[in-house]
Amino acid sequence: DSGVTQTPKHLITATGQRVTLRCSPRSGDLSVYWYQQSLDQGLQFLIQYYNGEERAKGNILERFSAQQFPDLHSELNLSSLELGDSALYFCASSVGPGLDGVHNEQFFGPGTRLTVL
Amino acid sequence: GDSVTQMEGPVTLSEEAFLTINCTYTATGYPSLFWYVQYPGEGLQLLLKATKADDKGSNKGFEATYRKETTSFHLEKGSVQVSDSAVYFCALSGRDFGNEKLTFGTGTRLTIIP
C-alpha cells in the first residue's frame, strides 16, 4: 500500500458526460501528479500541483482540468468525454522538489479505470 | 523533449533464467532514472533508481546501472522467479526546477513460467 488513495476504482459513463476523479496523497506529501495510461499512448504525464498551485502541465486536453485543495487532496475533472478518453488514470504524490535537482520519489495510487461507452 | 525507449515485449522466460530489459533515454542534462513495476490490477511501484552517472540501483535482486556514455539504464536480474511476472517501466525525470514529471517508456510485460 503506497498510502495514496484514489476514488472511484472504476467508472463507467457515456460520451459527452463529465466525471471527477479524486486523489488523496500520502500524509505529508505536498506534490500531486496525474498520469493517464492508455493502450495507444502508454503512460503520459497530465499535470502536477504543489501545495495548491499548478506547477507543470503535460499532454492534458483542454476538456480536462484539475485542482489541489487546501487539505492537499486533488481532483481531476474530465468533461465532454470521448471514447478515446477510456484509460487508467493514476495519481502520484511526493514530498515535493528534491535537493540539487534530484527529485523525490513519486508514490502511485491504484488508479481509476474510466470506461466511456 | 525527453524520451525513453524500452525493449519491446512481451518477454517470456523460464524460472531461474537471466533477465535483461533494455532501456535507453534522450534528455537534456543529467536526468534521474527509474525502473517501476506494475503487478496485475495494481499501481506502479518504484523498483530502483539512480540519480547520477555510474550509479547502480538495486532492489529485490534487480540491478540497473546509469550509463551516461550510452544513455542507457538496462534492468537485469540473475535468476527470475514466477513472482517477478509483471510489467516493467523505465522512466526518467529531469533536474530542472519545476520539471519533476516522470517520462515513461512503453513498458515490457514479463512472464515467468515455472
Side-chain angles (χ1 to χ4, degrees), chain B residues 34-94:
Chain B
F34 307 85
W35 277 99
Y36 278 83
V37 58
Q38 185 178 28
Y39 298 102
E42 298 184 14
L44 284 81
Q45 301 174 25
L46 179 65
L47 181 59
L48 52 83
K49 69 177 182 182
T51 58
K52 61 182 189 294
D54 299 325
D55 262 3
K56 178 186 280 188
S58 61
N59 186 25
K60 300 181 182 179
F62 291 90
E63 293 183 340
T65 301
Y66 190 143
R67 300 285 188 204
K68 187 173 181 306
E69 63 276 12
T70 54
T71 61
S72 65
F73 193 54
H74 305 320
L75 182 68
E76 296 182 335
K77 187 175 185 183
S79 177
V80 292
Q81 306 300 314
V82 172
S83 57
D84 294 327
S85 297
V87 181
Y88 292 80
F89 292 91
C90 185
L92 66 81
S93 72

Side-chain angles (χ1 to χ4, degrees), chain A residues 1 3 8 10 16 22 29 31 34 39 54 58 64 66 68 76 83 89 95 98-99 106 115:
Chain A
D1 185 351
H10 300 279
R22 183 188 168 103
D29 283 358
S31 280
W34 286 97
L39 284 175
E54 183 185 301
F64 296 1
Q68 186 179 27
L76 179 66
L83 296 178
Y89 291 84
V95 297
L99 298 174
Q106 294 182 28
T115 303

Side-chain angles (χ1 to χ4, degrees), chain A residues 7-116:
Chain A
T7 56
K9 196 171 177 65
H10 300 279
L11 201 45
I12 301 174
T13 188
T15 54
Q17 295 298 305
R18 173 189 167 94
V19 296
T20 298
L21 282 53
R22 183 188 168 103
C23 168
S24 292
R26 292 187 323 152
S27 176
D29 283 358
L30 299 179
S31 280
V32 169
Y33 311 77
W34 286 97
Y35 294 87
Q36 179 195 59
Q37 185 178 32
S38 63
L39 284 175
D40 53 343
Q41 299 288 331
L43 257 168
Q44 290 208 314
F45 167 73
L46 296 178
I47 197 164
Q48 178 201 354
Y49 280 81
Y50 175 72
N51 204 19
E53 302 279 331
E54 183 185 301
R55 188 169 175 88
K57 242 179 180 175
N59 298 322
I60 187 166
L61 300 170
E62 284 193 16
R63 301 183 285 108
F64 296 1
S65 65
Q67 54 184 326
Q68 186 179 27
F69 294 87
D71 67 352
L72 301 177
H73 91 271
S74 177
E75 292 181 357
L76 179 66
N77 299 296
L78 315 177
S79 62
S80 302
L81 285 167
E82 301 175 0
L83 296 178
D85 297 327
S86 296
L88 197 48
Y89 291 84
F90 286 110
C91 169
S93 73
S94 76
V95 297
L99 298 174
D100 300 324
V102 178
H103 302 309
N104 291 298
E105 178 181 348
Q106 294 182 28
F107 294 85
F108 282 76
T112 293
R113 182 169 295 281
L114 173 67
T115 303
V116 183

